[in-house]
Amino acid sequence: MCGIAGIIYRDGVAEHDVGSDMTRMLQSMKHRGPDSTGYALYRPQSVDVVMRYKLADANDPRDFEFAQRLARNRAEVERRLRLAGAEIDDVRADTEYAYRVKLRYDGDLKRIADLVEAVPHCEVLSLGHALEIVKDLGDAETVAAQYHLGGVRGTHGIGHVRMATESDVDISGAHPYWAYPFSDVAVVHNGQLTNYFHWRRRLERAGNRFNSECDSEIIAVYLAEKLAGGATLEDAMHQSLDELDGVFTYVCVTADALGVAKDELAAKPLVLYESDDLVALASEEIAIRAVIDREIETYDPYEREVLVWTR
């Protein structure tokens, strides 16, 4: 089941209420995935780096050592960031286990991601100059309230509502996925890759790590590796249709673009709305109508296709 959605604004305005818009889109598809909700939200690129990470899961048992362990590990994360040469400007705890760190750092992002993830129970959810990934258990309104997403302004974003079918109901299994260790690349996906293990082994041999057994994480790292090699997003997505087997629809976002790809069977639904001002897409038309307050015409690409839009 599950549901995916995305929006990119193209009217020349620097920032929009992307947090609120994505929440309305995802909440309208709550019936497709009640277990968890996730967002990949983009702001204009800056010299600052924002890291989102977690030190526990929403459903971890709260024993008497839980709070002490979180405090100890949080302090260790910040110590390691400073050791790597990062200047920490701000740290915010959105929940007792999930944190947002704004820092200045001009080195290799993989280095600080690896240093931080060596802290027990730590998982970096996103790291980049434009991207922030927020995901947790519950519907979109619940997650948006927890993480104060109503006030988040930005340029584009994607999201996912999940019905867990093949893995646990936890934050690590929730979408979107950041393409570790590449800055500002994320993916949401509906479907299944049949050559998942083939690509996981190939990407691991190239030095990549994975925090889940989810197909979406494979797609994210696959595309980011192509981008790092000089391919455009559109070219990388076209290559994916030749190399990734399965039945799927996925949406990939970078710092300045949003793209969607459907396999040759095109069995997983996706509805599109496109105007001069914005592009909105979702698994169901109701999600697009949640953010557009006028009569619109949408369409569904029924064939193997790649579409990419830039800001």
Side-chain angles (χ1 to χ4, degrees), residues 33 36 47 114 147 157 159 179 237 242 252 255 280 297 301:
S36 62
V47 296
D114 289 344
Y147 290 84
M237 295 177 78
D242 293 327
C252 179
E297 291 186 5

Side-chain angles (χ1 to χ4, degrees), residues 97-126:
Y97 47 81
Y99 309 89
R100 179 187 190 270
V101 183
K102 181 180 177 182
L103 52 93
R104 283 170 286 172
Y105 179 74
D106 58 5
D108 180 14
L109 293 183
K110 182 179 186 300
R111 179 169 182 250
I112 59 174
D114 289 344
L115 278 172
V116 167
E117 287 199 331
V119 175
H121 310 288
C122 181
E123 179 181 340
V124 176
L125 302 178
S126 64

Side-chain angles (χ1 to χ4, degrees), residues 41 43 49-55 74 77-78 81-82 88-103 125-126 131-135 143-153:
L41 304 177
R43 63 191 187 281
V49 173
V50 173
M51 180 176 72
R52 291 272 189 175
Y53 74 96
K54 70 179 184 72
L55 289 173
R74 177 179 173 179
V77 166
E78 294 174 23
L81 288 172
R82 294 189 176 95
I88 298 175
D89 288 335
D90 181 63
V91 180
R92 186 180 77 212
D94 284 317
T95 69
E96 59 183 332
Y97 47 81
Y99 309 89
R100 179 187 190 270
V101 183
K102 181 180 177 182
L103 52 93
L125 302 178
S126 64
L131 166 68
E132 295 188 43
I133 288 180
V134 171
K135 51 187 179 178
V143 175
Q146 273 186 302
Y147 290 84
H148 315 289
L149 300 184
V152 173
R153 294 179 59 79

